[in-house]
Amino acid sequence: MTVRVQTADFDAGREIAELRGSDPRVGAVASFIGTVRDVNDAATVATMTLEHYPGMTEKALTGIIADARARFDILDALVVHRVGELRPADQIVLVVVTSAHRGDAFDACRFIMDYLKTRAPFWKKEVTSEGARWVDARVSDDDAAARWQTQTGNET
Amino acid sequence: MPDNSPLSVTAVTVRVVYLARLREAFGRSGESLAIAADAPDVAAVLATLRARDGVWARELAAGRAVRIAVNHQLVAADSPVREGDEVALLPPVTGG
């Protein structure tokens, strides 16, 4: 399991290769990359600054991956999240999951992103044509995370 | 009206951390805060800050979406706080 918070960009190909290594049990690799859009809520985004809560961020991400491992049959997972100043089209976040089969890889990758959006202490501040503003959380993000909770109802 | 003798009140000092929008609204990234309560908890920390009125009362009004982490763990309002705890006030997160 790997969790990193960094200002530097990442190379998804290299990260995926490292996570897979030469593990012959891996039959599926799912990945997600989040990037900066140039328009948000009808305003043009010039730059975006991402800040986090050092100390808690790494614990929150590690906890989310641990939850994913408990729910899905996965072999390994990685989250890289950037902080600092970013521009439209820049990469923000990378999630990679390896498993024996695609179902668990897809599900775990989505689960990790949905929980990251609602549980990991990151905040975006945009500089737009309308001025600087903190990005509002979206109700749809809460809904996406809640979807996984209703799906656990018949476990245990 | 129960008589709260001074001995029954626990006073603890916690480190409060303000993040993102709240840091800008309050004009500081954190502070040391003394909490006096029978059973010091997260709700008592928020009540102490709200009592300052102005921007504090507005930003921390009931219904505002502020989440609390004690020692880097998200917790509920009735979670206890202890001497030296780091109590962080988090606006809704927007990463990813």
Side-chain angles (χ1 to χ4, degrees):
Chain A
M1 176 192 318
T2 305
V3 163
R4 288 205 318 272
V5 178
Q6 62 189 41
T7 53
D9 199 7
F10 51 79
D11 178 339
R14 183 180 305 162
E15 300 290 351
I16 290 169
E18 272 185 32
L19 193 73
R20 291 176 57 194
S22 50
D23 189 344
R25 297 171 302 166
V26 174
V29 181
S31 65
F32 173 86
I33 297 172
T35 59
V36 181
R37 280 191 308 277
D38 67 345
V39 173
N40 190 30
D41 292 335
T44 303
V45 177
T47 63
M48 168 182 285
T49 303
L50 262 146
E51 74 168 64
H52 73 124
Y53 178 17
M56 178 174 170
T57 317
E58 294 80 358
K59 286 181 197 169
L61 294 175
T62 302
I64 291 166
I65 292 180
D67 286 351
R69 296 188 86 117
R71 295 179 63 120
F72 306 103
D73 192 6
I74 63 176
L75 292 165
D76 208 350
L78 159 123
V79 175
V80 179
H81 202 298
R82 295 180 70 193
V83 292
E85 189 173 295
L86 301 175
R87 294 172 182 284
D90 280 353
Q91 302 189 111
I92 305 173
V93 61
L94 170 68
V95 177
V96 183
V97 176
T98 58
S99 69
H101 303 286
R102 71 184 183 285
D104 284 299
F106 276 131
D107 287 350
C109 189
R110 184 164 193 163
F111 172 91
I112 290 169
M113 265 316 295
D114 286 348
Y115 271 67
L116 185 155
K117 296 285 284 188
T118 54
R119 306 273 170 90
F122 292 100
W123 297 273
K124 288 174 181 152
K125 188 176 191 180
E126 296 171 336
V127 176
T128 73
S129 42
E130 314 287 305
R133 64 184 187 187
W134 290 99
V135 173
D136 280 331
R138 293 174 191 275
V139 173
S140 58
D141 288 337
D142 286 334
D143 292 345
R147 194 167 56 86
W148 295 104
Q149 286 168 6
T150 54
Q151 285 180 12
T152 43
N154 52 6
E155 285 182 9
T156 66
Chain B
M1 188 94 186
D3 173 37
N4 283 333
S5 79
L7 287 175
S8 72
V9 175
T10 317
V12 300
T13 300
V14 298
R15 173 77 192 161
V16 189
V17 174
Y18 309 115
L19 290 149
R21 193 194 75 236
L22 293 175
R23 183 192 62 246
E24 290 189 350
F26 298 151
R28 63 189 78 173
S29 58
E31 65 186 299
S32 183
L33 189 72
I35 308 297
D38 287 343
D41 60 6
V42 164
V45 173
L46 293 175
T48 303
L49 295 173
R50 267 188 216 113
R52 293 172 173 175
D53 294 329
V55 68
W56 301 88
R58 279 199 302 281
E59 290 290 347
L60 303 177
R64 292 301 297 266
V66 175
R67 299 181 80 181
I68 310 296
V70 173
N71 299 331
H72 302 145
Q73 288 281 350
L74 288 174
V75 297
D78 60 356
S79 285
V81 294
R82 299 180 182 83
E83 182 72 23
D85 277 353
E86 181 166 307
V87 181
L89 278 58
L90 290 68
V93 300
T94 53

